[in-house]
Amino acid sequence: MDAKRTGWLFLYTQSNLYHVHSAFDYRNDGILTDPEWLTWKNLIREMNAHPVLLTVIWHGYRYRYFSRAFGRFLQQELCANSVPPSGDADSDAYKRGKEFIRVFYPEMLKDDWPNALPDY
């Protein structure tokens, strides 16, 4: 893949991540219902621990572009538990993704990882 396409992929993934962040906030504010939220949350589950998603998360974490609560959500959805989160998460994909994170972004596995993010 050439640099231009890679850049577009990063921006596309970044846009999706921040749309999910907005939906996360809307759910917490009572604007989205649980079934509506599930459609947004599944974007993260579908991407799982894709290297581009992890790069976008690392970038957002580095520059503090998302909230601590959203960081906890990402950690829970991608790597925090020994079993997949409840719902329709693919158990095998979750385990493979967590192992990928363990190798390529091990800081995300630490319990205090979200603590460096802003609490708003």
Side-chain angles (χ1 to χ4, degrees):
M1 185 177 291
D2 63 30
K4 185 175 182 179
R5 288 183 185 178
T6 302
W8 283 110
L9 179 59
F10 178 88
L11 291 173
Y12 177 77
T13 305
Q14 186 179 49
S15 176
N16 277 314
L17 179 74
Y18 293 114
H19 282 304
V20 174
H21 190 321
S22 293
F24 177 84
D25 291 342
Y26 293 154
R27 177 179 173 252
N28 290 341
D29 292 342
I31 297 168
L32 284 181
T33 65
D34 286 342
E36 290 170 321
W37 163 238
L38 184 60
T39 63
W40 289 100
K41 180 168 77 167
N42 282 339
L43 280 173
I44 300 299
R45 288 187 176 183
E46 186 177 354
M47 287 186 272
N48 196 355
H50 191 281
V52 176
L53 176 62
L54 294 180
T55 302
V56 167
I57 291 170
W58 173 84
H59 181 263
Y61 182 86
R62 180 177 179 205
Y63 292 104
R64 311 299 186 248
Y65 288 158
F66 51 85
S67 70
R68 186 176 307 158
F70 188 68
R72 280 191 196 106
F73 158 74
L74 290 172
Q75 194 178 48
Q76 177 185 358
E77 286 298 305
L78 296 173
C79 60
N81 302 310
S82 59
V83 296
S86 64
D88 58 355
D90 178 334
S91 178
D92 292 335
Y94 183 84
K95 290 174 187 172
R96 282 190 308 273
K98 184 173 179 179
E99 188 56 35
F100 184 80
I101 292 169
R102 183 182 319 285
V103 172
F104 291 98
Y105 192 8
E107 298 84 5
M108 193 175 178
L109 294 169
K110 296 179 181 176
D111 289 339
D112 65 347
W113 177 80
N115 293 348
L117 295 166
D119 193 18
Y120 58 81

